[in-house]
């Protein structure tokens, strides 16, 4: 009942996720009371507007851990076609992975040195999610704070993690997955790359111009990262649909921060 009351006060984009939590609570109550009532099919994992789920499939976000999701028939067919073309998707080797639900403080295992790392983080709820790394007042660093759903690859600068592990403070209201990766698992920009949400890409060519295409009403930012994954200069930022030329120093690391769909094109291709 609290979830339904909250849905009445929430914005339109938040309602599906809040109602899903309410339905989950009712399902749990039925089970505890011993009611043998068939559960209604959940909405499609990728977009509730697709309608009820019709299939259960395995899916992994970029750099993330594979999970079982409920999807509509169209998305099930799309994923099957992609697997037939490229083969099954496998998550890259990870130092450690944690699955949680709600707010939690945890420590992920590290390779034991001070090398920079990547954190792949996914959370399916539409509410605000925050990820803080490190420990102590001076050693804490906010890696992420944005409204979900979230599928992000985030830099963990050198020195944030220790031999004892990477301390994380996850502030979320639903299920999430955090996976710690080596920086070798950054995506290759290649001729072009696209995505939705934060990501990190390696540009291997010597061209000094990259084109950014951003879609949607939200803000975007592209910055250069130094070799130790410290944040470098901002190359472009704005809000809404845009096409921007980015001046880059040849071979480099690029960090995309966006909530909408984006595409980067290397002019050397």
């Amino acid at each position: 009942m609290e979830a339904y009351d909250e849905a009445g006060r929430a914005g339109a984009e938040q309602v599906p996720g809040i109602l899903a939590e309410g339905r989950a609570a009712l399902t749990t109550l039925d089970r505890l009371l011993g009611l043998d009532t068939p559960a209604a099919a959940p909405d499609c994992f990728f977009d509730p507007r697709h309608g009820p789920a019709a299939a259960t499939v395995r899916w992994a976000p970029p750099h993330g851990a594979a999970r079982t999701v409920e999807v509509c028939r169209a998305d099930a067919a799309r994923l099957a076609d992609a697997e037939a073309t490229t083969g099954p998707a496998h998550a890259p080797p990870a130092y450690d992975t944690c699955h949680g639900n709600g707010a939690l403080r945890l420590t992920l295992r590290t390779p034991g040195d001070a090398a920079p790392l990547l954190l792949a983080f996914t959370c399916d709820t539409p509410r605000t999610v925050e990820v803080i790394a490190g420990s102590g007042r001076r050693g804490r660093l906010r890696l992420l704070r944005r409204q979900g759903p979230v599928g992000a690859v985030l830099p963990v600068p050198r020195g944030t993690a220790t031999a004892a592990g990477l301390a994380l403070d996850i502030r979320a209201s639903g299920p999430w997955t955090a996976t710690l990766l080596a920086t070798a698992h950054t995506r290759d920009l290649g001729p072009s790359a696209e995505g939705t949400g934060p990501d990190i890409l390696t540009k291997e060519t010597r061209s000094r111009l990259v084109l950014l295409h951003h879609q949607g009403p939200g803000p975007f930012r592209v910055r250069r990262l130094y070799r130790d994954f410290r944040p470098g200069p901002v190359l472009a930022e704005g809000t809404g649909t845009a096409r921007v030329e980015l001046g880059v120093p040849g071979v480099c690391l690029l960090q995309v921060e966006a909530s909408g769909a984006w595409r980067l094109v290397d002019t050397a291709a």
Side-chain angles (χ1 to χ4, degrees):
M1 294 303 296
E2 290 177 356
Y4 285 11
D5 288 341
E6 183 178 353
R9 300 187 299 269
E13 72 280 359
Q14 297 176 308
V15 170
I18 297 174
L19 292 180
E21 293 181 8
R23 289 193 295 269
L26 289 176
T27 300
T28 301
L29 178 61
D30 287 345
R31 186 177 66 251
L32 292 174
L33 293 175
L35 300 178
D36 190 16
T37 304
D43 291 331
C44 176
F45 170 80
F46 292 107
D47 192 334
R49 293 172 296 183
H50 294 178
T56 301
V57 300
R58 292 286 290 174
W59 171 81
H63 304 294
R67 86 271 302 268
T68 299
V69 296
E70 306 286 340
V71 300
C72 64
R73 293 187 186 278
D75 280 329
R78 174 178 59 83
L79 293 173
D81 289 343
E83 182 171 327
T85 302
T86 63
H90 296 284
Y95 294 123
D96 199 4
T97 297
C98 181
H99 304 275
N101 194 326
L104 181 67
R105 292 185 177 181
L106 66 144
T107 300
L108 294 177
R109 292 188 300 271
T110 63
D113 54 30
L117 301 163
L118 297 178
L119 180 69
F121 183 81
T122 60
C123 183
D124 301 329
T125 66
R127 300 183 183 181
T128 300
V129 178
E130 189 170 15
V131 180
I132 300 173
S135 58
R137 293 183 178 180
R138 296 185 179 181
R140 290 164 62 83
L141 175 67
R142 179 186 290 164
L143 302 182
L144 174 73
R145 189 180 191 278
R146 55 168 291 193
Q147 187 163 329
V150 173
V153 179
L154 309 165
V156 181
R158 185 187 302 274
T160 305
T162 67
L166 174 65
L168 292 177
D169 185 358
I170 309 293
R171 300 175 183 178
S173 60
W176 49 264
T177 300
T179 304
L180 195 61
L181 302 168
T183 56
H185 297 299
T186 54
R187 290 176 62 189
D188 183 9
L189 173 58
S192 66
E194 58 187 30
T196 301
D199 207 341
I200 301 172
L201 302 103
T202 301
K203 179 179 173 295
E204 298 286 358
T205 66
R206 296 186 178 277
S207 65
R208 296 187 176 273
L209 185 65
V210 170
L211 300 179
L212 165 68
H213 301 267
H214 180 261
Q215 295 181 346
F220 65 86
R221 177 185 297 164
V222 180
R223 71 164 72 240
R224 178 189 171 194
L225 294 178
Y226 295 114
R227 290 184 179 181
D228 61 358
F229 278 59
R230 288 182 297 110
V234 174
L235 304 178
E237 62 182 337
T239 302
T241 300
R243 179 185 181 276
V244 184
E245 294 184 350
L246 311 179
V248 295
V251 178
C252 62
L253 287 168
L254 297 175
Q255 180 183 14
V256 180
E257 302 173 75
S259 56
W262 53 264
R263 184 168 182 255
L264 289 179
V265 180
D266 188 347
T267 58

